[in-house]
Amino acid sequence: MIFITAKFLVRPESVDAWPEITREFTEATRAEEGCLWFDWSRSLDDPTEFVLVEAFRDGDAGAAHVGSQHFKDAQEHLPPHLVETPRIVSLEAPGTDWSRLGELAVD
């Protein structure tokens, strides 16, 4: 799978609306055949930082995502709400789902 984590620093005036600003993009991405997950979180330390954790079945699914119309729309629609270019970690990992964190096993 292609595993991606991106950090978005959102302008203070857009922070409260960020879930709605990204809703259409998020829903369209989650509906893609090769999308495994596409989940937003908000930093506990910086209320203007949102973290996107996403995964795609393989490189072809990732390429389809980047080539989609909703991705192109997001390229135009999202930057005016951002403080800076998002930071990203992208890598290829084995599997298609989350593994269990054995060090914190729950019986």
Side-chain angles (χ1 to χ4, degrees):
M1 78 175 130
I2 304 300
F3 183 85
I4 301 165
T5 302
K7 291 186 174 189
F8 292 72
L9 286 180
V10 178
R11 294 184 182 279
E13 62 271 18
S14 296
V15 164
D16 290 337
W18 187 250
E20 187 58 36
I21 291 166
T22 60
R23 183 173 314 284
E24 186 175 317
F25 177 53
T26 298
E27 290 175 356
T29 301
R30 287 177 177 166
E32 292 175 18
E33 180 182 337
C35 180
L36 300 174
W37 59 81
F38 195 84
D39 298 320
W40 291 97
S41 298
R42 192 170 184 179
S43 171
L44 297 176
D45 298 320
D46 180 353
T48 67
E49 182 181 79
F50 287 81
V51 178
L52 176 60
V53 179
E54 56 188 300
F56 297 90
R57 181 186 60 240
D58 54 27
D60 290 341
H65 170 63
V66 173
S68 70
Q69 185 59 52
H70 55 270
F71 188 90
K72 292 176 178 134
D73 293 344
Q75 286 179 298
E76 291 184 29
H77 181 67
L78 299 185
H81 300 282
L82 300 175
V83 173
E84 65 182 25
T85 301
R87 291 167 286 143
I88 187 172
V89 174
S90 178
L91 55 94
E92 192 168 339
T96 58
D97 203 353
W98 292 88
S99 299
R100 299 261 180 207
L101 179 58
E103 294 83 359
L104 293 177
V106 176
D107 295 328

